[in-house]
Amino acid sequence: SAVISQKPSRDICQRGTSLTIQCQVDSQVTMMFWYRQQPGQSLTLIATANQGSEATYESGFVIDKFPISRPNLTFSTLTVSNMSPEDSSIYLCSVAGDNQETQYFGPGTRLLVL
Amino acid sequence: GDSVTQMEGPVTLSEEAFLTINCTYTATGYPSLFWYVQYPGEGLQLLLKATKADDKGSNKGFEATYRKETTSFHLEKGSVQVSDSAVYFCALGRRALTFGSGTRLQVQP
């Protein structure tokens, strides 16, 4: 399985600011995903990060709020823009394995917005 | 659309007890099914998976069988340990994953 790292591991931010989260994979992967896990809740898919094209967003998530970059096959960023306390969550990136059936997750970024 | 339903927690067991965490799903066709585990303060780890009906996934003493007749993928372990205390997520996979709500397991010595 791929080794996935995320930066930062945690952060405390003020409302109205933006935070960019990085996801780095140790091998080239076709599909990368960004999920949100609100406190005590399950995971919800934010978007699929597509290399060379715009991300594909799920219902309820928009590019202006969660811009995503995917400059190559090993790296992606998620920005949480104009943050409010409701954005306090764990943000996780994942990648699909070789058979495209199994996903492996990064350690997550724990965000607290004050 | 796809959905996954898990039994609510927390589930509290004594060490060496038998564990069952129920998971049922709604989906068209036969997607792959997964169990992920999240230990305190950590990210998600793949525990086991099954890719077609009647497959049994197993890992670290945990097992789950893909039952298309009952649309279920229940997680079982014969003898839990304190170190198994975590949140367990059932998930259904296509392009991306659809997760259940998670079940917190607490194992007491």
Side-chain angles (χ1 to χ4, degrees):
Chain A
S1 63
V3 176
I4 306 164
S5 60
Q6 285 186 234
K7 290 182 182 179
S9 58
R10 61 179 68 238
D11 207 342
I12 300 173
C13 300
Q14 299 298 316
R15 68 171 66 213
T17 63
S18 298
L19 177 72
T20 295
I21 302 168
Q22 299 179 5
C23 178
Q24 179 76 54
V25 190
D26 69 342
S27 59
Q28 293 186 341
V29 293
T30 304
M31 303 191 74
M32 294 180 75
F33 305 89
W34 286 98
Y35 290 83
R36 181 175 73 181
Q37 185 180 20
Q38 295 178 299
Q41 303 297 313
S42 187
L43 283 79
T44 302
L45 179 66
I46 297 172
T48 303
N50 303 307
Q51 197 269 330
S53 64
E54 275 195 3
T56 305
Y57 289 85
E58 298 299 305
S59 176
F61 298 95
V62 295
I63 188 171
D64 289 347
K65 176 66 175 178
F66 297 102
I68 288 171
S69 77
R70 178 88 193 270
N72 56 52
L73 293 176
T74 64
F75 185 78
S76 178
T77 67
L78 168 75
T79 298
V80 186
S81 303
N82 188 24
M83 288 183 285
S84 67
E86 291 72 32
D87 294 320
S88 298
S89 297
I90 301 173
Y91 293 86
L92 301 102
C93 71
S94 73
V95 303
D98 288 341
N99 62 9
Q100 304 296 310
E101 288 182 331
T102 303
Q103 288 189 28
Y104 300 95
F105 285 81
T109 295
R110 287 158 176 74
L111 171 62
L112 176 63
V113 184
L114 302 177
Chain B
D2 295 344
S3 68
V4 177
T5 302
Q6 284 182 241
M7 64 186 289
E8 290 197 16
V11 173
T12 303
L13 296 173
S14 298
E15 209 165 21
E16 300 183 2
F18 184 86
L19 168 71
T20 299
I21 300 178
N22 290 337
C23 171
T24 58
Y25 66 90
T26 301
T28 55
Y30 302 106
S32 296
L33 299 174
F34 305 86
W35 278 100
Y36 284 86
V37 58
Q38 187 174 37
Y39 297 102
E42 299 185 12
L44 264 70
Q45 298 178 22
L46 176 66
L47 182 59
L48 55 83
K49 69 176 183 180
T51 58
K52 60 183 185 295
D54 299 326
D55 265 3
K56 177 186 283 189
S58 62
N59 187 25
K60 299 181 181 180
F62 291 89
E63 294 183 341
T65 301
Y66 191 157
R67 303 280 189 201
K68 67 177 182 179
E69 303 85 2
T70 54
T71 62
S72 65
F73 193 55
H74 304 322
L75 183 68
E76 297 181 336
K77 186 175 186 183
S79 176
V80 294
Q81 305 300 312
V82 172
S83 57
D84 294 327
S85 298
V87 180
Y88 292 82
F89 291 94
C90 184
L92 177 161
R94 296 191 195 274
R95 176 181 62 82
L97 293 173
T98 299
F99 283 89
S101 57
T103 303
R104 181 175 300 277
L105 170 65
Q106 298 173 328
V107 180
Q108 298 176 337

